[in-house]
Amino acid sequence: MAPAIATYEPRDPSHTLLYTVVADHLETLLASREADPDARGLPAYVKRELYDYLQCGVLAHGFLRLGCDTCHKKLLLAFSCKRRGLCSSCAGRRMAQTAAHLVEQVIPWVPTRQWVVSVPVPLRYWMAVSQDLTATVHTIIRTTIGRIM
């Protein structure tokens, strides 16, 4: 059996529930906020975030035409909003890029990043009232982990 070839599937944000709600009710929300004298309008950056979200991933709002030199296949790639607040696609991509940058460029490589130690519940109660017992348990844990490393 031949392995499956990975193909690009463009996302269509206009079919998501969030997109539908924002598209259907954004103008009503903005008009009601401006019509009410007691209500403050939305900040400009919030309006910009909402309008950019409605354009994210929609070919009608701009795209790149990509082509492969070997197979001559053409592909349209819609522009993204590159925002973090509302757009789950752009926020997820940004989160993954930030995590990759931290792991590859910022945080030095170590064999183990952290240890999670769980102490039995009855011992927790005793440790809560005794600093000496807490120090002893901490020393035991630290030396045990030191021997493993």
Side-chain angles (χ1 to χ4, degrees), residues 114-147:
Q114 72 183 36
W115 289 86
V116 177
V117 178
S118 179
V119 179
V121 175
L123 184 56
R124 292 179 203 173
Y125 293 124
W126 286 100
M127 290 172 63
V129 296
S130 171
Q131 287 183 337
D132 293 337
L133 179 60
T134 303
T136 304
V137 170
H138 182 260
T139 303
I140 292 169
I141 291 170
R142 196 176 63 234
T143 55
T144 304
I145 291 174
R147 276 188 257 142

PDB file of all heavy atoms in Angstrom, residues 114-147:
ATOM      1  N   GLN A 114      11.856  19.662  34.454  1.00  0.00           N
ATOM      2  CA  GLN A 114      11.258  19.771  35.778  1.00  0.00           C
ATOM      3  C   GLN A 114      10.898  18.396  36.311  1.00  0.00           C
ATOM      4  O   GLN A 114      10.764  17.449  35.560  1.00  0.00           O
ATOM      5  CB  GLN A 114      10.009  20.647  35.747  1.00  0.00           C
ATOM      6  CG  GLN A 114       8.824  19.993  35.058  1.00  0.00           C
ATOM      7  CD  GLN A 114       7.645  20.914  34.992  1.00  0.00           C
ATOM      8  OE1 GLN A 114       7.808  22.104  34.815  1.00  0.00           O
ATOM      9  NE2 GLN A 114       6.448  20.385  35.116  1.00  0.00           N
ATOM     10  N   TRP A 115      10.756  18.342  37.612  1.00  0.00           N
ATOM     11  CA  TRP A 115      10.290  17.149  38.295  1.00  0.00           C
ATOM     12  C   TRP A 115       9.019  17.506  39.034  1.00  0.00           C
ATOM     13  O   TRP A 115       8.916  18.572  39.632  1.00  0.00           O
ATOM     14  CB  TRP A 115      11.325  16.650  39.313  1.00  0.00           C
ATOM     15  CG  TRP A 115      12.540  16.053  38.678  1.00  0.00           C
ATOM     16  CD1 TRP A 115      13.650  16.710  38.258  1.00  0.00           C
ATOM     17  CD2 TRP A 115      12.749  14.682  38.390  1.00  0.00           C
ATOM     18  NE1 TRP A 115      14.548  15.834  37.714  1.00  0.00           N
ATOM     19  CE2 TRP A 115      14.025  14.570  37.798  1.00  0.00           C
ATOM     20  CE3 TRP A 115      12.003  13.529  38.575  1.00  0.00           C
ATOM     21  CZ2 TRP A 115      14.553  13.366  37.393  1.00  0.00           C
ATOM     22  CZ3 TRP A 115      12.535  12.333  38.179  1.00  0.00           C
ATOM     23  CH2 TRP A 115      13.790  12.253  37.589  1.00  0.00           C
ATOM     24  N   VAL A 116       8.057  16.623  39.011  1.00  0.00           N
ATOM     25  CA  VAL A 116       6.831  16.813  39.789  1.00  0.00           C
ATOM     26  C   VAL A 116       6.845  15.758  40.882  1.00  0.00           C
ATOM     27  O   VAL A 116       6.928  14.564  40.608  1.00  0.00           O
ATOM     28  CB  VAL A 116       5.570  16.656  38.911  1.00  0.00           C
ATOM     29  CG1 VAL A 116       4.316  16.786  39.761  1.00  0.00           C
ATOM     30  CG2 VAL A 116       5.592  17.674  37.794  1.00  0.00           C
ATOM     31  N   VAL A 117       6.816  16.220  42.116  1.00  0.00           N
ATOM     32  CA  VAL A 117       6.885  15.319  43.259  1.00  0.00           C
ATOM     33  C   VAL A 117       5.546  15.350  43.975  1.00  0.00           C
ATOM     34  O   VAL A 117       5.020  16.418  44.279  1.00  0.00           O
ATOM     35  CB  VAL A 117       8.014  15.752  44.222  1.00  0.00           C
ATOM     36  CG1 VAL A 117       8.058  14.853  45.435  1.00  0.00           C
ATOM     37  CG2 VAL A 117       9.343  15.750  43.498  1.00  0.00           C
ATOM     38  N   SER A 118       5.009  14.176  44.241  1.00  0.00           N
ATOM     39  CA  SER A 118       3.757  14.074  44.976  1.00  0.00           C
ATOM     40  C   SER A 118       4.046  13.412  46.316  1.00  0.00           C
ATOM     41  O   SER A 118       4.685  12.365  46.380  1.00  0.00           O
ATOM     42  CB  SER A 118       2.756  13.246  44.170  1.00  0.00           C
ATOM     43  OG  SER A 118       1.554  13.132  44.880  1.00  0.00           O
ATOM     44  N   VAL A 119       3.578  14.039  47.348  1.00  0.00           N
ATOM     45  CA  VAL A 119       3.786  13.534  48.702  1.00  0.00           C
ATOM     46  C   VAL A 119       2.459  12.951  49.185  1.00  0.00           C
ATOM     47  O   VAL A 119       1.398  13.552  48.955  1.00  0.00           O
ATOM     48  CB  VAL A 119       4.251  14.682  49.632  1.00  0.00           C
ATOM     49  CG1 VAL A 119       4.447  14.202  51.043  1.00  0.00           C
ATOM     50  CG2 VAL A 119       5.513  15.312  49.104  1.00  0.00           C
ATOM     51  N   PRO A 120       2.472  11.793  49.850  1.00  0.00           N
ATOM     52  CA  PRO A 120       1.211  11.216  50.346  1.00  0.00           C
ATOM     53  C   PRO A 120       0.460  12.209  51.246  1.00  0.00           C
ATOM     54  O   PRO A 120       1.067  12.989  51.988  1.00  0.00           O
ATOM     55  CB  PRO A 120       1.674   9.994  51.147  1.00  0.00           C
ATOM     56  CG  PRO A 120       3.010   9.661  50.595  1.00  0.00           C
ATOM     57  CD  PRO A 120       3.619  10.949  50.152  1.00  0.00           C
ATOM     58  N   VAL A 121      -0.855  12.158  51.178  1.00  0.00           N
ATOM     59  CA  VAL A 121      -1.694  13.120  51.889  1.00  0.00           C
ATOM     60  C   VAL A 121      -1.421  13.161  53.396  1.00  0.00           C
ATOM     61  O   VAL A 121      -1.277  14.251  53.967  1.00  0.00           O
ATOM     62  CB  VAL A 121      -3.191  12.851  51.597  1.00  0.00           C
ATOM     63  CG1 VAL A 121      -4.085  13.754  52.428  1.00  0.00           C
ATOM     64  CG2 VAL A 121      -3.474  13.040  50.116  1.00  0.00           C
ATOM     65  N   PRO A 122      -1.318  12.034  54.102  1.00  0.00           N
ATOM     66  CA  PRO A 122      -1.056  12.135  55.551  1.00  0.00           C
ATOM     67  C   PRO A 122       0.265  12.861  55.855  1.00  0.00           C
ATOM     68  O   PRO A 122       0.343  13.634  56.815  1.00  0.00           O
ATOM     69  CB  PRO A 122      -0.992  10.682  56.017  1.00  0.00           C
ATOM     70  CG  PRO A 122      -1.771   9.919  55.000  1.00  0.00           C
ATOM     71  CD  PRO A 122      -1.551  10.639  53.703  1.00  0.00           C
ATOM     72  N   LEU A 123       1.284  12.643  54.998  1.00  0.00           N
ATOM     73  CA  LEU A 123       2.571  13.304  55.212  1.00  0.00           C
ATOM     74  C   LEU A 123       2.447  14.810  54.948  1.00  0.00           C
ATOM     75  O   LEU A 123       3.118  15.605  55.615  1.00  0.00           O
ATOM     76  CB  LEU A 123       3.633  12.678  54.299  1.00  0.00           C
ATOM     77  CG  LEU A 123       5.062  13.176  54.464  1.00  0.00           C
ATOM     78  CD1 LEU A 123       5.539  13.003  55.902  1.00  0.00           C
ATOM     79  CD2 LEU A 123       5.986  12.451  53.506  1.00  0.00           C
ATOM     80  N   ARG A 124       1.582  15.199  54.022  1.00  0.00           N
ATOM     81  CA  ARG A 124       1.373  16.628  53.746  1.00  0.00           C
ATOM     82  C   ARG A 124       0.887  17.366  54.996  1.00  0.00           C
ATOM     83  O   ARG A 124       1.303  18.482  55.276  1.00  0.00           O
ATOM     84  CB  ARG A 124       0.349  16.828  52.631  1.00  0.00           C
ATOM     85  CG  ARG A 124       0.821  16.380  51.290  1.00  0.00           C
ATOM     86  CD  ARG A 124      -0.271  16.600  50.262  1.00  0.00           C
ATOM     87  NE  ARG A 124      -0.058  15.700  49.141  1.00  0.00           N
ATOM     88  CZ  ARG A 124      -0.892  15.537  48.148  1.00  0.00           C
ATOM     89  NH1 ARG A 124      -2.031  16.208  48.132  1.00  0.00           N
ATOM     90  NH2 ARG A 124      -0.627  14.706  47.171  1.00  0.00           N
ATOM     91  N   TYR A 125      -0.038  16.736  55.733  1.00  0.00           N
ATOM     92  CA  TYR A 125      -0.557  17.380  56.938  1.00  0.00           C
ATOM     93  C   TYR A 125       0.545  17.581  57.971  1.00  0.00           C
ATOM     94  O   TYR A 125       0.641  18.620  58.612  1.00  0.00           O
ATOM     95  CB  TYR A 125      -1.697  16.558  57.538  1.00  0.00           C
ATOM     96  CG  TYR A 125      -2.937  16.524  56.664  1.00  0.00           C
ATOM     97  CD1 TYR A 125      -3.491  15.323  56.248  1.00  0.00           C
ATOM     98  CD2 TYR A 125      -3.555  17.697  56.254  1.00  0.00           C
ATOM     99  CE1 TYR A 125      -4.623  15.292  55.455  1.00  0.00           C
ATOM    100  CE2 TYR A 125      -4.679  17.690  55.454  1.00  0.00           C
ATOM    101  CZ  TYR A 125      -5.209  16.478  55.066  1.00  0.00           C
ATOM    102  OH  TYR A 125      -6.335  16.450  54.275  1.00  0.00           O
ATOM    103  N   TRP A 126       1.393  16.547  58.128  1.00  0.00           N
ATOM    104  CA  TRP A 126       2.495  16.664  59.081  1.00  0.00           C
ATOM    105  C   TRP A 126       3.499  17.729  58.627  1.00  0.00           C
ATOM    106  O   TRP A 126       4.014  18.498  59.442  1.00  0.00           O
ATOM    107  CB  TRP A 126       3.199  15.312  59.258  1.00  0.00           C
ATOM    108  CG  TRP A 126       2.394  14.341  60.066  1.00  0.00           C
ATOM    109  CD1 TRP A 126       1.631  13.321  59.605  1.00  0.00           C
ATOM    110  CD2 TRP A 126       2.261  14.339  61.483  1.00  0.00           C
ATOM    111  NE1 TRP A 126       1.034  12.667  60.631  1.00  0.00           N
ATOM    112  CE2 TRP A 126       1.406  13.272  61.809  1.00  0.00           C
ATOM    113  CE3 TRP A 126       2.777  15.117  62.512  1.00  0.00           C
ATOM    114  CZ2 TRP A 126       1.046  12.958  63.114  1.00  0.00           C
ATOM    115  CZ3 TRP A 126       2.427  14.809  63.818  1.00  0.00           C
ATOM    116  CH2 TRP A 126       1.573  13.754  64.109  1.00  0.00           C
ATOM    117  N   MET A 127       3.767  17.762  57.316  1.00  0.00           N
ATOM    118  CA  MET A 127       4.713  18.753  56.787  1.00  0.00           C
ATOM    119  C   MET A 127       4.185  20.184  56.923  1.00  0.00           C
ATOM    120  O   MET A 127       4.960  21.124  57.069  1.00  0.00           O
ATOM    121  CB  MET A 127       5.015  18.457  55.311  1.00  0.00           C
ATOM    122  CG  MET A 127       5.850  17.197  55.100  1.00  0.00           C
ATOM    123  SD  MET A 127       5.994  16.724  53.361  1.00  0.00           S
ATOM    124  CE  MET A 127       6.864  18.115  52.694  1.00  0.00           C
ATOM    125  N   ALA A 128       2.864  20.333  56.889  1.00  0.00           N
ATOM    126  CA  ALA A 128       2.275  21.667  56.986  1.00  0.00           C
ATOM    127  C   ALA A 128       2.520  22.307  58.346  1.00  0.00           C
ATOM    128  O   ALA A 128       2.574  23.526  58.464  1.00  0.00           O
ATOM    129  CB  ALA A 128       0.774  21.597  56.712  1.00  0.00           C
ATOM    130  N   VAL A 129       2.708  21.479  59.381  1.00  0.00           N
ATOM    131  CA  VAL A 129       2.897  22.032  60.727  1.00  0.00           C
ATOM    132  C   VAL A 129       4.332  21.917  61.224  1.00  0.00           C
ATOM    133  O   VAL A 129       4.648  22.432  62.285  1.00  0.00           O
ATOM    134  CB  VAL A 129       1.937  21.363  61.743  1.00  0.00           C
ATOM    135  CG1 VAL A 129       0.501  21.672  61.384  1.00  0.00           C
ATOM    136  CG2 VAL A 129       2.173  19.869  61.819  1.00  0.00           C
ATOM    137  N   SER A 130       5.190  21.258  60.467  1.00  0.00           N
ATOM    138  CA  SER A 130       6.568  21.056  60.939  1.00  0.00           C
ATOM    139  C   SER A 130       7.576  21.475  59.867  1.00  0.00           C
ATOM    140  O   SER A 130       7.709  20.814  58.839  1.00  0.00           O
ATOM    141  CB  SER A 130       6.782  19.586  61.311  1.00  0.00           C
ATOM    142  OG  SER A 130       8.139  19.335  61.575  1.00  0.00           O
ATOM    143  N   GLN A 131       8.293  22.552  60.123  1.00  0.00           N
ATOM    144  CA  GLN A 131       9.329  23.002  59.187  1.00  0.00           C
ATOM    145  C   GLN A 131      10.485  22.019  59.128  1.00  0.00           C
ATOM    146  O   GLN A 131      11.076  21.817  58.073  1.00  0.00           O
ATOM    147  CB  GLN A 131       9.842  24.377  59.591  1.00  0.00           C
ATOM    148  CG  GLN A 131       8.866  25.493  59.320  1.00  0.00           C
ATOM    149  CD  GLN A 131       9.456  26.854  59.668  1.00  0.00           C
ATOM    150  OE1 GLN A 131      10.382  26.946  60.478  1.00  0.00           O
ATOM    151  NE2 GLN A 131       8.919  27.887  59.050  1.00  0.00           N
ATOM    152  N   ASP A 132      10.804  21.401  60.251  1.00  0.00           N
ATOM    153  CA  ASP A 132      11.905  20.434  60.264  1.00  0.00           C
ATOM    154  C   ASP A 132      11.581  19.222  59.400  1.00  0.00           C
ATOM    155  O   ASP A 132      12.432  18.745  58.642  1.00  0.00           O
ATOM    156  CB  ASP A 132      12.205  19.981  61.700  1.00  0.00           C
ATOM    157  CG  ASP A 132      12.770  21.105  62.555  1.00  0.00           C
ATOM    158  OD1 ASP A 132      13.335  22.057  61.973  1.00  0.00           O
ATOM    159  OD2 ASP A 132      12.629  21.027  63.784  1.00  0.00           O
ATOM    160  N   LEU A 133      10.353  18.713  59.493  1.00  0.00           N
ATOM    161  CA  LEU A 133       9.954  17.571  58.670  1.00  0.00           C
ATOM    162  C   LEU A 133       9.955  17.962  57.192  1.00  0.00           C
ATOM    163  O   LEU A 133      10.420  17.193  56.343  1.00  0.00           O
ATOM    164  CB  LEU A 133       8.568  17.064  59.092  1.00  0.00           C
ATOM    165  CG  LEU A 133       8.026  15.884  58.282  1.00  0.00           C
ATOM    166  CD1 LEU A 133       8.951  14.675  58.403  1.00  0.00           C
ATOM    167  CD2 LEU A 133       6.623  15.547  58.711  1.00  0.00           C
ATOM    168  N   THR A 134       9.465  19.154  56.881  1.00  0.00           N
ATOM    169  CA  THR A 134       9.455  19.623  55.490  1.00  0.00           C
ATOM    170  C   THR A 134      10.876  19.707  54.942  1.00  0.00           C
ATOM    171  O   THR A 134      11.146  19.271  53.819  1.00  0.00           O
ATOM    172  CB  THR A 134       8.770  21.007  55.388  1.00  0.00           C
ATOM    173  OG1 THR A 134       7.446  20.900  55.910  1.00  0.00           O
ATOM    174  CG2 THR A 134       8.712  21.481  53.955  1.00  0.00           C
ATOM    175  N   ALA A 135      11.815  20.225  55.747  1.00  0.00           N
ATOM    176  CA  ALA A 135      13.210  20.320  55.308  1.00  0.00           C
ATOM    177  C   ALA A 135      13.810  18.937  55.105  1.00  0.00           C
ATOM    178  O   ALA A 135      14.554  18.713  54.142  1.00  0.00           O
ATOM    179  CB  ALA A 135      14.019  21.121  56.334  1.00  0.00           C
ATOM    180  N   THR A 136      13.493  17.998  55.980  1.00  0.00           N
ATOM    181  CA  THR A 136      14.015  16.632  55.851  1.00  0.00           C
ATOM    182  C   THR A 136      13.486  15.952  54.592  1.00  0.00           C
ATOM    183  O   THR A 136      14.250  15.333  53.837  1.00  0.00           O
ATOM    184  CB  THR A 136      13.637  15.797  57.095  1.00  0.00           C
ATOM    185  OG1 THR A 136      14.109  16.459  58.265  1.00  0.00           O
ATOM    186  CG2 THR A 136      14.220  14.405  57.013  1.00  0.00           C
ATOM    187  N   VAL A 137      12.166  16.086  54.356  1.00  0.00           N
ATOM    188  CA  VAL A 137      11.574  15.490  53.155  1.00  0.00           C
ATOM    189  C   VAL A 137      12.163  16.134  51.902  1.00  0.00           C
ATOM    190  O   VAL A 137      12.484  15.447  50.922  1.00  0.00           O
ATOM    191  CB  VAL A 137      10.031  15.628  53.190  1.00  0.00           C
ATOM    192  CG1 VAL A 137       9.413  15.243  51.853  1.00  0.00           C
ATOM    193  CG2 VAL A 137       9.448  14.785  54.307  1.00  0.00           C
ATOM    194  N   HIS A 138      12.346  17.442  51.924  1.00  0.00           N
ATOM    195  CA  HIS A 138      12.929  18.148  50.791  1.00  0.00           C
ATOM    196  C   HIS A 138      14.351  17.654  50.515  1.00  0.00           C
ATOM    197  O   HIS A 138      14.737  17.451  49.357  1.00  0.00           O
ATOM    198  CB  HIS A 138      12.930  19.658  51.060  1.00  0.00           C
ATOM    199  CG  HIS A 138      13.481  20.454  49.920  1.00  0.00           C
ATOM    200  ND1 HIS A 138      14.761  20.932  49.922  1.00  0.00           N
ATOM    201  CD2 HIS A 138      12.934  20.834  48.737  1.00  0.00           C
ATOM    202  CE1 HIS A 138      14.977  21.585  48.794  1.00  0.00           C
ATOM    203  NE2 HIS A 138      13.881  21.546  48.068  1.00  0.00           N
ATOM    204  N   THR A 139      15.122  17.452  51.555  1.00  0.00           N
ATOM    205  CA  THR A 139      16.496  16.943  51.398  1.00  0.00           C
ATOM    206  C   THR A 139      16.487  15.541  50.794  1.00  0.00           C
ATOM    207  O   THR A 139      17.295  15.235  49.904  1.00  0.00           O
ATOM    208  CB  THR A 139      17.219  16.942  52.758  1.00  0.00           C
ATOM    209  OG1 THR A 139      17.205  18.269  53.289  1.00  0.00           O
ATOM    210  CG2 THR A 139      18.647  16.458  52.623  1.00  0.00           C
ATOM    211  N   ILE A 140      15.591  14.694  51.259  1.00  0.00           N
ATOM    212  CA  ILE A 140      15.499  13.323  50.724  1.00  0.00           C
ATOM    213  C   ILE A 140      15.141  13.358  49.237  1.00  0.00           C
ATOM    214  O   ILE A 140      15.751  12.655  48.422  1.00  0.00           O
ATOM    215  CB  ILE A 140      14.463  12.498  51.526  1.00  0.00           C
ATOM    216  CG1 ILE A 140      14.958  12.256  52.948  1.00  0.00           C
ATOM    217  CG2 ILE A 140      14.149  11.183  50.821  1.00  0.00           C
ATOM    218  CD1 ILE A 140      13.910  11.690  53.873  1.00  0.00           C
ATOM    219  N   ILE A 141      14.186  14.173  48.886  1.00  0.00           N
ATOM    220  CA  ILE A 141      13.766  14.274  47.483  1.00  0.00           C
ATOM    221  C   ILE A 141      14.922  14.800  46.628  1.00  0.00           C
ATOM    222  O   ILE A 141      15.223  14.256  45.555  1.00  0.00           O
ATOM    223  CB  ILE A 141      12.524  15.182  47.358  1.00  0.00           C
ATOM    224  CG1 ILE A 141      11.307  14.507  47.990  1.00  0.00           C
ATOM    225  CG2 ILE A 141      12.242  15.533  45.899  1.00  0.00           C
ATOM    226  CD1 ILE A 141      10.096  15.410  48.142  1.00  0.00           C
ATOM    227  N   ARG A 142      15.590  15.843  47.101  1.00  0.00           N
ATOM    228  CA  ARG A 142      16.681  16.459  46.336  1.00  0.00           C
ATOM    229  C   ARG A 142      17.839  15.481  46.143  1.00  0.00           C
ATOM    230  O   ARG A 142      18.390  15.361  45.042  1.00  0.00           O
ATOM    231  CB  ARG A 142      17.148  17.729  47.058  1.00  0.00           C
ATOM    232  CG  ARG A 142      17.967  18.632  46.185  1.00  0.00           C
ATOM    233  CD  ARG A 142      18.338  19.920  46.901  1.00  0.00           C
ATOM    234  NE  ARG A 142      19.173  19.630  48.054  1.00  0.00           N
ATOM    235  CZ  ARG A 142      18.912  20.032  49.304  1.00  0.00           C
ATOM    236  NH1 ARG A 142      17.856  20.742  49.563  1.00  0.00           N
ATOM    237  NH2 ARG A 142      19.718  19.722  50.288  1.00  0.00           N
ATOM    238  N   THR A 143      18.212  14.757  47.172  1.00  0.00           N
ATOM    239  CA  THR A 143      19.325  13.806  47.031  1.00  0.00           C
ATOM    240  C   THR A 143      18.931  12.624  46.153  1.00  0.00           C
ATOM    241  O   THR A 143      19.759  12.114  45.394  1.00  0.00           O
ATOM    242  CB  THR A 143      19.816  13.310  48.398  1.00  0.00           C
ATOM    243  OG1 THR A 143      18.702  12.755  49.130  1.00  0.00           O
ATOM    244  CG2 THR A 143      20.440  14.439  49.197  1.00  0.00           C
ATOM    245  N   THR A 144      17.692  12.172  46.236  1.00  0.00           N
ATOM    246  CA  THR A 144      17.245  11.072  45.386  1.00  0.00           C
ATOM    247  C   THR A 144      17.270  11.473  43.911  1.00  0.00           C
ATOM    248  O   THR A 144      17.747  10.714  43.061  1.00  0.00           O
ATOM    249  CB  THR A 144      15.811  10.634  45.788  1.00  0.00           C
ATOM    250  OG1 THR A 144      15.787  10.298  47.167  1.00  0.00           O
ATOM    251  CG2 THR A 144      15.353   9.448  44.956  1.00  0.00           C
ATOM    252  N   ILE A 145      16.773  12.653  43.608  1.00  0.00           N
ATOM    253  CA  ILE A 145      16.801  13.125  42.223  1.00  0.00           C
ATOM    254  C   ILE A 145      18.246  13.343  41.770  1.00  0.00           C
ATOM    255  O   ILE A 145      18.585  13.047  40.624  1.00  0.00           O
ATOM    256  CB  ILE A 145      15.972  14.425  42.073  1.00  0.00           C
ATOM    257  CG1 ILE A 145      14.491  14.099  42.253  1.00  0.00           C
ATOM    258  CG2 ILE A 145      16.203  15.090  40.726  1.00  0.00           C
ATOM    259  CD1 ILE A 145      13.570  15.307  42.279  1.00  0.00           C
ATOM    260  N   GLY A 146      19.097  13.837  42.664  1.00  0.00           N
ATOM    261  CA  GLY A 146      20.514  14.033  42.327  1.00  0.00           C
ATOM    262  C   GLY A 146      21.203  12.740  41.969  1.00  0.00           C
ATOM    263  O   GLY A 146      22.091  12.714  41.108  1.00  0.00           O
ATOM    264  N   ARG A 147      20.836  11.628  42.622  1.00  0.00           N
ATOM    265  CA  ARG A 147      21.436  10.337  42.297  1.00  0.00           C
ATOM    266  C   ARG A 147      20.963   9.827  40.943  1.00  0.00           C
ATOM    267  O   ARG A 147      21.698   9.136  40.243  1.00  0.00           O
ATOM    268  CB  ARG A 147      21.098   9.311  43.379  1.00  0.00           C
ATOM    269  CG  ARG A 147      22.047   9.384  44.545  1.00  0.00           C
ATOM    270  CD  ARG A 147      21.847   8.262  45.502  1.00  0.00           C
ATOM    271  NE  ARG A 147      21.102   8.833  46.645  1.00  0.00           N
ATOM    272  CZ  ARG A 147      20.159   8.222  47.322  1.00  0.00           C
ATOM    273  NH1 ARG A 147      19.807   7.002  47.031  1.00  0.00           N
ATOM    274  NH2 ARG A 147      19.560   8.817  48.310  1.00  0.00           N
TER     275      ARG A 147
END
